[in-house]
Amino acid sequence: MSFPLPAACAEILKGRIVFCGFSGGSDSLYLLLALKMISAPFHFQLRAVHFNHGLRGGESEADEAWCREKCRKENLPFLSIRLHLDSAVGEGGLEAAARNARLTEWKRLIRENPSSVVALGHQAEDRRENLLLRLMRGSNVSGLTSLRLSSEVEGVRFVRPLLAFSKEEMERRLRDAGEVWRTDSSNASDFCGRNFLRLTLIPSLLNRFPYAAGGLRRSLEVLEEDADYLEREARRAFGTDERMTPAQWSSLHPAIRCRVLRLFLEKSGISVLPDSALLERFAEAVSHPPENGESRRIPLAGNPDCFLTVERDTVSLQHREMPCEPVEWELERMPICRFGEFLLQAERVKRTDETLDLQNRDPMTVFFSLDLPRKLILSPRRDGDRMIPFGKHHALLVKKLCSEGGIKAYSRNSHPLLRTEEGEILWFPGVRRSASYPVAESAREMWRIRARRTPPEREAMTRKKD
């Protein structure tokens, strides 16, 4: 007995490791047997993966045992993964928690097995239910057609070969082949939204509108065509210039902008599906970007340490920088000192006009007299901090100097200030130095302090190469 699959599916799987989600139900059994039939001619390694959610007590254990025994008889590798959902259930409920837990495990398997893919047994009725669920959530056409033959989610390539098959058709083929399968008793309850659609709403719709099954199937086909076109246009727009200005972002049609934004976030390593709230805030920010060196930060749901930053000429993804702890610096005992991503070096040098001129050309270099205290403090900016810049006679707020020096709000907590032990600010690297401890005309030697921004990881790599 044959278990047909679409030809396009086989081409996707060729030469790969294929992890097949195997619950023991009719859909996953049909998929596993169908994939086994074509694994040899298309040269892919098939492995069955069973998730034990532990939600149905003995029934869950029996399902796992049955799946294990079936794979033994079929001579297929079998992997069972036990999920722990008690602490994972959040706003999305049990369904969302289980889905997220499975995705975490799929990502782990893909990392451990590069070039592998995941095959799932979603079929025509699942796709119809997904359409209705997404429609009620306000999804766009990409969301409405999210169950596709091939798609990628957070680095995992999912393949769904059964989308064109009905459950009835597959179960008929399995029975004709003498196969039996497991039945999840929870499928008879409408406790979750999908079950309510499957057991109550959709049967009522089909009873009242007999043509609805074909109409929904056709709608999914044309919606997927529309989604494919919009996604291709988004990739084209994103590919022309990945560093778009707010004006360029604002000029994009909303249907393209939301998809380009998703591509932008994915390229930055952030997997976020932009919701309506994020899209509205982003559209407002790029339509009216801030002036005077300021920036607007837009938080990303589920990523508390990241945010979109819109400035006058740029849009970027920034990571929240935590304030660095103050560091004591004894110049003669420890000439090199690190503060966060900054490396500072102090040394005594001969006074020359050329060296002093460097201070005017390089804001990351400063010169002080030898009267400079040997023990200093490196610390982040504090609210209300003031300093008297060189050439001035009154103190200015460091916050104002940050704006004038182009230090962005999101990085001010990690930018060092050089202070005395008493708290007087002597230097703001890259911005201004204070009027204290100037180099006298008669001085023959002086302190030179240099700062450079070098992430610790990069510094370590540099030392290793050297």
Side-chain angles (χ1 to χ4, degrees):
M1 184 68 187
S2 65
F3 301 102
L5 291 176
C9 161
E11 291 300 321
I12 297 172
L13 305 179
K14 183 182 293 185
R16 297 178 179 269
I17 296 173
V18 179
F19 293 107
C20 177
F22 184 40
S23 67
S26 58
D27 303 343
S28 64
L29 176 61
Y30 182 100
L31 178 62
L32 186 71
L33 296 176
L35 291 175
K36 180 187 176 184
M37 292 180 64
I38 65 171
S39 60
F42 285 92
H43 309 288
F44 63 80
Q45 301 176 44
L46 179 61
R47 302 177 186 178
V49 179
H50 177 83
F51 290 108
N52 187 335
H53 298 79
L55 298 174
R56 293 175 289 117
E59 187 177 334
S60 294
E61 302 303 320
D63 285 348
E64 178 182 336
W66 187 91
C67 290
R68 187 185 303 276
E69 177 61 16
K70 181 63 178 176
C71 288
R72 186 192 67 78
K73 291 179 178 178
E74 297 292 338
N75 197 28
L76 290 172
F78 176 79
L79 172 64
S80 178
I81 299 175
R82 189 172 294 269
L83 303 178
H84 304 281
L85 302 178
D86 291 345
S87 61
V89 177
E91 294 182 2
L94 191 60
E95 281 185 285
R99 185 167 55 249
N100 292 335
R102 291 193 297 269
L103 179 58
T104 297
E105 293 299 327
W106 287 131
K107 289 193 292 186
R108 179 182 62 81
L109 287 174
I110 296 300
R111 284 195 304 270
E112 295 172 355
N113 300 273
S115 80
S116 56
V117 298
V118 174
L120 298 178
H122 293 119
Q123 30 80 3
E125 284 87 343
D126 292 320
R127 202 175 191 214
R128 183 172 62 197
E129 293 158 10
N130 189 68
L131 168 65
L132 295 175
L133 286 170
R134 293 298 186 99
L135 188 63
M136 289 184 285
R137 293 174 188 164
S139 298
N140 61 20
V141 291
S142 293
L144 296 177
T145 59
S146 57
L147 291 185
R148 302 185 192 178
L149 173 62
S150 178
S151 62
E152 185 170 324
V153 179
E154 297 188 28
V156 180
R157 173 63 61 182
F158 289 103
V159 183
R160 301 177 178 87
L162 307 181
L163 294 178
F165 295 83
S166 70
K167 193 177 192 70
E168 181 182 3
E169 175 186 359
M170 291 188 294
E171 290 186 348
R172 177 180 57 78
R173 288 182 176 274
L174 288 171
R175 281 193 294 269
D176 290 346
E179 297 288 346
V180 295
W181 54 89
R182 301 289 291 178
T183 300
D184 187 338
S185 62
S186 66
N187 287 340
S189 170
D190 64 0
F191 75 99
C192 66
R194 186 175 294 276
N195 280 8
F196 173 75
L197 291 179
R198 182 180 303 152
L199 300 173
T200 306
L201 182 59
I202 291 178
S204 296
L205 284 174
L206 297 181
N207 183 57
R208 178 65 179 83
F209 305 102
Y211 54 85
L216 290 173
R217 184 171 58 251
R218 176 56 184 158
S219 290
L220 278 165
E221 292 172 358
V222 296
L223 285 171
E224 186 169 333
E225 291 174 356
D226 293 347
D228 181 67
Y229 172 76
L230 291 170
E231 289 158 12
R232 282 192 288 110
E233 286 298 295
R235 288 192 293 272
R236 183 182 63 79
F238 182 65
T240 56
D241 186 2
E242 297 175 13
R243 299 184 61 84
M244 294 188 293
T245 66
Q248 290 172 314
W249 277 102
S250 183
S251 68
L252 294 175
H253 189 281
I256 299 298
R257 187 192 304 132
C258 67
R259 290 170 170 82
V260 174
L261 180 58
R262 185 175 184 181
L263 293 172
F264 174 78
L265 293 172
E266 287 177 351
K267 187 173 180 62
S268 302
I270 302 296
S271 182
V272 172
L273 184 63
D275 58 17
S276 58
L278 173 59
L279 294 172
E280 288 173 9
R281 291 190 65 177
F282 184 69
E284 171 63 21
V286 296
S287 298
H288 304 90
E291 298 290 340
N292 302 321
E294 293 301 312
S295 62
R296 289 187 63 178
R297 291 184 290 179
I298 304 173
L300 300 173
N303 295 270
D305 295 327
C306 301
F307 46 85
L308 279 167
T309 300
V310 179
E311 301 170 64
R312 186 183 67 178
D313 297 317
T314 61
V315 173
S316 60
L317 183 76
Q318 300 294 336
H319 295 269
R320 193 182 308 279
E321 295 186 347
M322 302 303 293
C324 295
E325 293 295 322
V327 176
E328 291 187 357
W329 188 15
E330 296 185 37
L331 301 186
E332 293 185 342
R333 187 180 67 83
M334 185 174 58
I336 297 177
C337 185
R338 176 172 289 284
F339 182 87
E341 292 191 347
F342 286 83
L343 200 67
L344 293 96
Q345 181 175 8
E347 58 182 329
R348 293 171 64 143
V349 297
K350 298 290 185 182
R351 176 199 171 108
T352 66
D353 291 339
E354 182 179 352
T355 54
L356 282 174
D357 183 57
L358 178 63
Q359 182 171 267
N360 299 323
R361 292 184 286 106
D362 180 9
M364 299 297 279
T365 300
V366 68
F367 295 91
F368 289 108
S369 74
L370 294 183
D371 296 331
L372 186 70
R374 299 302 189 263
K375 188 173 183 179
L376 300 172
I377 305 293
L378 290 167
S379 73
R381 179 186 70 87
R382 297 191 292 255
D383 289 342
D385 268 343
R386 294 173 178 268
M387 70 176 288
I388 302 176
F390 190 82
K392 301 287 185 180
H393 301 288
H394 60 279
L396 298 178
L397 282 170
V398 171
K399 182 178 180 180
K400 177 178 174 63
L401 296 175
C402 284
S403 297
E404 293 177 349
I407 308 299
K408 304 303 181 185
Y410 50 77
S411 65
R412 291 174 186 175
N413 285 337
S414 61
H415 203 102
L417 294 177
L418 185 66
R419 307 173 186 264
T420 64
E421 286 189 281
E422 293 74 28
E424 178 189 359
I425 298 174
L426 304 177
W427 185 38
F428 192 166
V431 182
R432 299 288 290 272
R433 65 154 291 166
S434 77
S436 300
Y437 303 100
V439 179
E441 290 288 340
S442 59
R444 304 176 67 86
E445 284 188 305
M446 55 194 172
W447 280 107
R448 179 177 66 192
I449 302 179
R450 290 173 169 170
R452 59 192 176 102
R453 192 160 194 159
T454 308
E457 296 82 5
R458 186 182 304 168
E459 180 69 16
M461 290 176 63
T462 302
R463 289 198 301 268
K464 185 175 181 180
K465 289 180 181 178
D466 293 343

